């Protein structure tokens, strides 16, 4: 989850490194630093705890000169966020520097051994063993030292190294953690993610797992783990730079919430044909395998896990296929029952989530095939899976996931329709109904966004509270989990989600007068039961905010009012506030119900003065376990 940048060429390196780090801020960090080689015996290093602005101020006073350098934003895993623990880290001579993303699992063993050989450590990090290990192995050939060092390092890592003894050269290597290379005319850039490269180049190469690249005057050379030459392949990035900027919105999160209608259109483009969903041209799973499936296992973390809960429930209900939805962080420690007739669906916005990648590895070891649902082309998850379904949401900068979540839900809906047709368990009429409803989703989401002011008013009521409860039944329970996560991660309000029927099994003891309870009521077939549970909270003095399509008349296509849906009066009777969403088939209601909850969290966080895009202690791409 750290951010890495590197540059080698003919321009001043420091401004490029600083700009690259700023474009990786969304990954989360607590310190930043750069190291520049400029012909001296020692690297010129500037690093500070805190935001990049602190580093920028330091560089304004003393900016290293030179055309080769590395930079880093650190999210603390080993050692507190301090200047000493910030990257880059150096060897004893200060002539060799390293930036690193990941975790070196055997760092204590290496640190003890290197300490016995006289190496002096100045930080508490696992990373610092790397430059000292390289120093031990170094004979003026940085490539050879890194290839040898890989044999000693256990864990995940992407790293870039520079040495004053090899001017004009950067060496980059990766194992599980991501690393991309930007190609220019006689110059190269290295970064953890593509946005850091876009101001300078659109030609990008992805370093594959186990590969090492040497960048410099001799061009780009790529080597395998044993030093064998590899052919590095590049591709053209078509993103516009503006896609990674706020576009006039006060925060990336709000911009990304309002981008959801277009993101949904991109996700379904070319995948819905007439009454059918068709993924045969892009999802490399054979009909024979899909027909013979005996179970589906969904693995994911955080918001992606909540999307998996919805998708897994729909697959099991409509395809009559056993589905388990598992937290990836727990999955591989549970000795799961997986075989060759298992499909594992792994969901990750970045495609670099360490826990999800570990779960995928276990699934593949036991014979399962893996379908990746991810947003990032060329990500590790996409490369490790047998098949990939890209969500096409575009760059998501805010730490709190919004458009990635909705596009994951949509991808899962498209997939289950396609799978259902292959397994001959869905009728043509049913599929046609759902496909038409999917095509209406972008417009319905836009309708919710046009009522954002109403949500902002409701959010103002939450801003002064320290506890909020989210409840729902069935698919609504999964949405309640996502709503609670959004509120607590960006507003720091304690939020708890639970199945509505569980209120009376303990949590009612915490409901007191004025306590906000956000109730999801979108599932018609269990509406009566859900209303009974909502009434239990209301009877204890809870202030009830209901998200529902079942309250008030439904506007017709020309704006005229249609009859009130059944149950509307009952919903209105239990609610202090109603956040109304359009009506859709029950399978698609989670996509609509999530939008007001995103806005609720956003406006509550703004009212509380929180750092919406970069909430404390969190990172966008979680690349450590």
């Amino acid at each position: 989850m750290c951010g890495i940048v590197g540059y080698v060429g003919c321009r001043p390196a420091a401004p490029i490194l600083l700009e690259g780090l700023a474009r990786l801020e969304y990954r989360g960090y607590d310190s930043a630093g750069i190291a520049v080689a400029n012909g001296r015996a020692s690297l010129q290093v500037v690093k500070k705890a805190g935001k990049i602005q602190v580093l920028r101020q330091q560089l304004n006073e003393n900016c290293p000169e030179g055309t080769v350098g590395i930079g880093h934003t650190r999210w603390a895993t080993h050692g507190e966020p301090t200047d000493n623990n910030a990257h880059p880290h150096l060897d004893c001579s200060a002539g060799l520097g390293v930036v690193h993303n990941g975790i070196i699992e055997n760092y204590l063993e290496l640190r003890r051994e290197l300490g016995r050989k006289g190496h002096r450590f100045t930080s508490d990090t696992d990373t610092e063993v790397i430059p000292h290990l390289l120093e031990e192995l170094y004979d003026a050939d940085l490539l050879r030292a890194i290839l040898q060092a890989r044999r000693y390092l256990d864990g995940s890592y992407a790293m870039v190294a520079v040495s004053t003894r090899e001017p004009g050269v950067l060496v980059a290597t990766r194992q599980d953690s991501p690393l991309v290379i930007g190609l220019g005319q006689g110059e190269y850039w290295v970064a953890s993610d593509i946005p850091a490269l876009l101001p300078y180049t659109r030609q990008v190469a992805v370093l594959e797992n186990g590969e090492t690249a040497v960048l410099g005057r001799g061009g780009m050379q790529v080597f395998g783990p044993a030093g064998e030459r590899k052919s590095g392949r590049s591709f053209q990035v078509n993103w516009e730079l503006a896609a990674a900027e706020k576009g006039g919105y006060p925060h990336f999160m709000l911009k990304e919430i309002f981008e959801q209608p277009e993101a949904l259109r991109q996700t379904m483009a070319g995948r819905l044909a007439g009454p059918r969903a068709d993924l045969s041209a892009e999802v490399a799973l054979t009909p024979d395998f899909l027909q013979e499936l005996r179970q589906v296992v969904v693995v994911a973390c955080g918001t992606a896990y909540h999307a998996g809960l919805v998708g897994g429930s729909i697959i099991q209900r409509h395809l009559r296929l056993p589905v388990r939805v598992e937290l990836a962080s727990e999955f591989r420690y549970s000795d799961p029952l997986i075989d060759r007739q298992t499909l594992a669906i792994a969901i990750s916005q970045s495609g670099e989530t360490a826990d999800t990648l570990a779960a995928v590895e276990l699934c593949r070891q036991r014979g399962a095939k893996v379908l990746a649902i991810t947003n990032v082309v060329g990500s590790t998850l996409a490369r490790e899976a047998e098949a990939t379904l890209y969500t096409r949401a575009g760059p998501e900068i805010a730490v709190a996931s919004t458009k990635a979540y909705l596009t994951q839900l949509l991808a899962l809906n498209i997939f289950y329709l396609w799978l259902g047709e292959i397994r001959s368990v869905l009728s043509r009429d049913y599929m046609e109904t759902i496909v038409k409803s999917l095509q209406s989703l972008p417009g319905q989401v836009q309708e919710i966004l046009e009522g954002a002011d109403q949500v902002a008013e409701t959010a103002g009521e939450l801003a002064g509270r320290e506890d909020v409860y989210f409840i729902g039944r069935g698919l609504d329970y999964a949405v309640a989990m996502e709503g609670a996560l959004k509120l607590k991660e960006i507003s720091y309000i304690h939020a708890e989600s639970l199945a509505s029927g569980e209120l009376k099994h303990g949590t009612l003891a915490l409901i007191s007068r004025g306590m906000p309870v956000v109730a999801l009521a979108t599932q018609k077939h269990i509406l009566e039961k859900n209303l009974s549970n909502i009434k239990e909270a209301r009877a204890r003095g809870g202030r009830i905010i209901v998200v529902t399509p079942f309250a008030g008349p439904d506007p017709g296509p020309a704006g005229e009012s249609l009859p009130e849906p059944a149950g509307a009066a009952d919903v209105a009777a239990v609610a202090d506030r109603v956040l109304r969403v359009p009506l859709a088939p029950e399978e698609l209601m989670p996509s609509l119900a999530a939008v007001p909850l995103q806005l609720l969290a956003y406006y509550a966080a703004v009212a509380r003065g929180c750092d919406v895009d970069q909430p404390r202690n969190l990172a966008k791409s979680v690349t450590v376990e």
Side-chain angles (χ1 to χ4, degrees):
M1 60 189 69
C2 306
I4 286 174
V5 294
Y7 174 73
V8 55
C10 56
R11 311 189 209 187
I16 293 174
L17 299 175
L18 196 60
E19 172 72 12
L21 294 179
R23 294 188 178 277
L24 295 177
E25 282 189 297
Y26 65 88
R27 295 173 68 88
Y29 69 103
D30 45 47
S31 61
I34 67 169
V36 175
N38 56 7
R40 302 180 186 179
S42 299
L43 294 170
Q44 305 303 296
V45 177
V46 182
K47 55 183 185 177
K48 298 293 291 183
K51 296 293 186 181
I52 286 175
Q53 184 58 32
V54 178
L55 176 64
R56 191 187 304 274
Q57 291 170 352
Q58 191 78 10
L59 290 173
N60 286 340
E61 299 172 6
N62 181 24
C63 187
E65 297 180 356
T67 59
V68 181
I70 53 178
H72 190 270
T73 51
R74 175 178 184 257
W75 189 81
T77 56
H78 295 71
E80 296 180 358
T82 64
D83 290 355
N84 282 343
N85 287 336
H87 296 213
H89 287 291
L90 308 180
D91 67 347
C92 294
S93 71
L96 192 156
V98 168
V99 289
H100 162 239
N101 177 18
I103 287 181
I104 305 302
E105 295 177 355
N106 61 334
Y107 85 99
L108 285 175
E109 174 187 338
L110 290 171
R111 186 172 177 130
R112 285 192 293 266
E113 179 63 24
L114 290 165
R116 283 194 289 268
K117 294 183 176 182
H119 292 267
R120 304 179 306 278
F121 292 85
T122 60
S123 80
D124 302 316
T125 68
D126 57 327
T127 297
E128 198 184 1
V129 302
I130 301 173
H132 290 285
L133 177 61
L134 291 174
E135 182 181 23
E136 192 68 24
L137 301 170
Y138 190 52
D139 60 356
D141 187 337
L142 192 53
L143 169 64
R144 189 191 325 187
I146 284 182
L147 291 175
Q148 290 177 330
R150 288 180 57 94
R151 302 173 191 168
Y152 294 92
L153 298 173
D154 294 335
S156 63
Y157 49 84
M159 61 182 176
V160 184
V162 61
S163 171
T164 57
R165 294 173 64 186
E166 295 180 65
V169 173
L170 287 182
V171 181
T173 191
R174 64 158 296 207
Q175 185 66 42
D176 299 328
S177 296
L179 211 55
V180 294
I181 298 169
L183 312 178
Q185 295 296 320
E187 57 185 345
Y188 299 90
W189 300 260
V190 186
S192 298
D193 207 350
I194 289 172
L197 309 177
L198 292 185
Y200 309 106
T201 182
R202 298 303 180 100
Q203 200 67 25
V204 173
V206 176
L207 204 59
E208 296 291 341
N209 225 21
E211 289 183 343
T212 302
V214 179
L215 309 170
R217 297 189 185 94
M220 179 179 76
Q221 299 173 298
V222 180
F223 301 87
E228 70 277 19
R229 289 293 296 268
K230 304 287 288 290
S231 57
R233 292 177 294 179
S234 64
F235 61 94
Q236 188 79 12
V237 175
N238 295 319
W239 293 358
E240 291 301 322
L241 191 58
E245 298 175 348
K246 294 179 183 176
Y249 289 91
H251 297 95
F252 282 113
M253 182 178 177
L254 188 63
K255 173 178 178 282
E256 288 155 9
I257 289 173
F258 275 80
E259 287 175 342
Q260 289 179 125
E262 181 57 29
L264 291 171
R265 293 185 187 97
Q266 292 297 323
T267 302
M268 69 178 74
R271 293 166 170 169
L272 300 178
R276 303 173 56 243
D278 187 5
L279 299 174
S280 56
E282 56 181 311
V283 174
L285 296 171
T286 66
D288 287 346
F289 168 74
L290 295 173
Q291 287 169 349
E292 295 170 4
L293 271 183
R294 295 180 60 182
Q295 69 166 339
V296 174
V297 175
V298 182
V299 290
C301 299
T303 287
Y305 170 71
H306 299 155
L309 287 172
V310 174
S313 178
I314 292 171
I315 291 171
Q316 182 164 286
R317 182 192 305 176
H318 291 285
L319 306 191
R320 310 311 299 166
L321 187 62
V323 179
R324 297 189 349 256
V325 184
E326 303 274 0
L327 286 166
S329 57
E330 292 292 321
F331 179 72
R332 67 172 174 156
Y333 305 110
S334 64
D335 194 18
L337 299 175
I338 303 169
D339 58 24
R340 295 183 181 278
Q341 291 179 291
T342 299
L343 173 65
I345 301 177
I347 311 172
S348 166
Q349 187 280 139
S350 67
E352 305 294 347
T353 308
D355 290 312
T356 303
L357 293 174
V360 164
E361 182 181 2
L362 176 61
C363 289
R364 296 186 68 193
Q365 287 174 354
R366 298 193 177 184
K369 292 190 182 300
V370 177
L371 169 66
I373 296 180
T374 184
N375 191 36
V376 181
V377 176
S379 61
T380 302
L381 179 59
R383 297 196 302 277
E384 292 295 321
E386 279 78 12
T388 301
L389 183 55
Y390 289 111
T391 55
R392 306 172 182 164
E396 188 177 67
I397 306 303
V399 167
S401 185
T402 52
K403 63 178 180 176
Y405 174 67
L406 253 62
T407 54
Q408 287 165 358
L409 289 177
L410 178 54
L412 286 162
N413 274 294
I414 294 171
F415 175 73
Y416 99 84
L417 290 175
W418 181 60
L419 179 60
E421 183 178 18
I422 289 173
R423 292 175 67 90
S424 302
V425 293
L426 298 178
S427 71
R428 183 180 179 87
D429 287 346
Y430 173 81
M431 289 190 294
E432 184 172 0
T433 297
I434 299 299
V435 167
K436 286 182 177 178
S437 298
L438 287 174
Q439 292 168 333
S440 298
L441 267 182
Q444 291 182 309
V445 171
Q446 186 63 47
E447 181 184 335
I448 298 171
L449 295 174
E450 290 168 0
D453 289 347
Q454 179 194 2
V455 183
E457 184 180 338
T458 304
E461 300 177 8
L462 302 184
R465 309 294 306 199
E466 294 303 323
D467 299 280
V468 178
Y469 290 91
F470 288 72
I471 62 174
R473 279 182 177 265
L475 296 181
D476 280 341
Y477 176 35
V479 181
M481 295 173 70
E482 174 61 11
L485 176 61
K486 281 291 155 288
L487 185 65
K488 61 189 171 188
E489 70 179 329
I490 64 169
S491 74
Y492 315 144
I493 297 171
H494 167 251
E496 184 176 340
S497 59
L498 66 157
S500 300
E502 292 298 299
L503 269 172
K504 55 187 174 291
H505 296 291
T507 306
L508 273 178
L510 298 176
I511 304 298
S512 57
R513 185 158 302 280
M515 173 74 71
V517 178
V518 180
L520 282 296
T522 75
Q523 303 293 295
K524 181 65 175 177
H525 76 284
I526 51 173
L527 181 60
E528 183 179 348
K529 294 290 185 184
N530 204 10
L531 287 175
S532 295
N533 302 135
I534 296 170
K535 291 175 184 177
E536 292 169 352
R538 184 178 179 85
R540 274 73 181 177
R543 182 163 178 78
I544 310 300
I545 301 165
V546 180
V547 178
T548 185
F550 306 120
D554 199 7
E560 72 273 16
S561 293
L562 301 178
E564 286 193 351
D570 293 333
V571 172
V574 301
D576 295 290
R577 286 271 191 174
V578 173
L579 300 179
R580 194 177 183 282
V581 295
L583 184 61
E586 290 187 348
E587 299 89 332
L588 309 188
M589 287 309 304
S591 298
L592 298 171
V595 178
L597 299 184
Q598 295 168 351
L599 291 168
L600 196 68
Y602 171 79
Y603 287 118
V606 170
R608 289 166 67 91
C610 298
D611 188 343
V612 173
D613 288 333
Q614 296 176 43
R616 66 190 182 202
N617 304 332
L618 299 180
K620 181 65 176 176
S621 183
V622 185
T623 56
V624 297
E625 287 189 73

